[in-house]
Amino acid sequence: MNYRERVVIVTGASSGIGRQVALDFAARGASLVVSARRADRLASVARECAARGGTVEAMTGDVGERTFVEGMAARALGRFGRIDVVVNNAGISKHKQIYHVTADEVDYVLRVNFLAAAYLTLAALPAMLRQGEGWIVNISSGAGKMPPPRETVYAASKFALNGFTEGLWLDLAGSNVHAAVINVGPIDTEIWQKTDEPPAYRGRKYPPSIISDAVFRAIERRKHELWVPRRYRLAWLFRVFFPALYRNGAARWDPVPEAVVAEARARAAEAVTR
């Protein structure tokens, strides 16, 4: 594909996977609209993209706000006149005991991790239909297939993103607009420093470049679903065919401390007596 004539939107582009994806599109000569919440880091990424040959529009804002998300599509059309690729990458973690999760946290995680992708897809789709082609790549997680302990809300947001993408496979049939989802394993990004409670995982973390490579495979080979690293698909198959063993193993790997349950019970009892 000749990316020099393509217009690409990348969310969550200030660091990690989004930054790498934006830089790799820029190196191929694409025009970009990139977004993130941190203006200074996003400006740095925009300069790097320009240095690599890309034309860049940087937008600072929160993808949890629908108007901002729809504004990215409007900016791409206003500046470049088309939208070829949308990479829905922005996301936040929520690694926290369910007893400590609030309703506001549930709302915000779903808005950032799922609704933002849905809103941007709907905003970009008319342009893609007018052009007769387009690509939507959703960066999901292995948690969107098999929830890890302490990530019930995060997993729910990624399950929603996966379900949305799988629905697009059917609903976009015949339109020449291709939808793909990438189920991401442990990647070495800032998300590990932003967990509410310490994660149990101590294994290898992979570089963001392997996810960026997968984005281009999904586009150029019209792949519908990719697991990165691929070996994590085996864990999902184990969960599908041996669900009881999966639940027992996950519970043993990262058990809920008895003190946490006791504290939650005490708070519940106290709430009744008030």
Side-chain angles (χ1 to χ4, degrees), residues 11-109:
T11 65
S14 62
S15 66
I17 294 170
R19 173 183 175 274
Q20 188 66 57
V21 169
L23 292 176
D24 290 344
F25 271 111
R28 290 163 168 80
S31 299
L32 291 134
V33 174
V34 296
S35 73
R37 289 179 295 178
R38 297 174 294 184
D40 55 341
R41 294 204 177 191
L42 186 62
S44 176
V45 172
R47 288 192 294 271
E48 290 183 83
C49 287
R52 294 193 179 199
T55 304
V56 189
E57 283 280 312
M59 297 180 63
T60 304
D62 187 351
V63 296
E65 301 296 330
R66 176 179 168 183
T67 54
F68 176 74
V69 173
E70 293 173 341
M72 285 188 284
R75 179 75 66 87
L77 291 171
R79 172 72 188 275
F80 303 114
R82 60 186 294 123
I83 302 172
D84 294 285
V85 179
V86 169
V87 181
N88 286 305
N89 166 73
I92 57 172
S93 71
K94 186 53 60 182
H95 185 88
K96 198 173 189 180
Q97 300 283 354
I98 193 63
Y99 308 110
H100 303 156
V101 173
T102 67
D104 285 343
E105 288 174 320
V106 173
D107 176 77
Y108 190 61
V109 170

Side-chain angles (χ1 to χ4, degrees), residues 111-196:
R111 282 195 284 128
V112 172
N113 290 1
F114 166 58
L115 289 176
Y119 292 149
L120 185 51
T121 298
L122 294 177
L125 187 56
M128 294 179 175
L129 292 173
R130 288 193 295 270
Q131 295 155 195
E133 65 177 358
W135 293 263
I136 299 159
V137 183
N138 293 328
I139 307 300
S140 186
S141 167
K145 292 285 194 176
M146 44 184 182
R150 316 299 159 263
E151 296 190 2
T152 297
V153 176
Y154 177 78
S157 69
K158 293 300 187 178
F159 264 80
L161 184 59
N162 280 53
F164 180 72
T165 312
E166 292 183 27
L168 290 177
W169 298 342
L170 309 179
D171 290 350
L172 295 177
S175 70
N176 203 33
V177 177
H178 180 73
V181 63
I182 299 174
N183 300 315
V184 174
I187 306 300
D188 190 11
T189 69
E190 292 178 354
I191 200 168
W192 297 95
Q193 285 77 53
K194 295 181 178 179
T195 57
D196 298 274

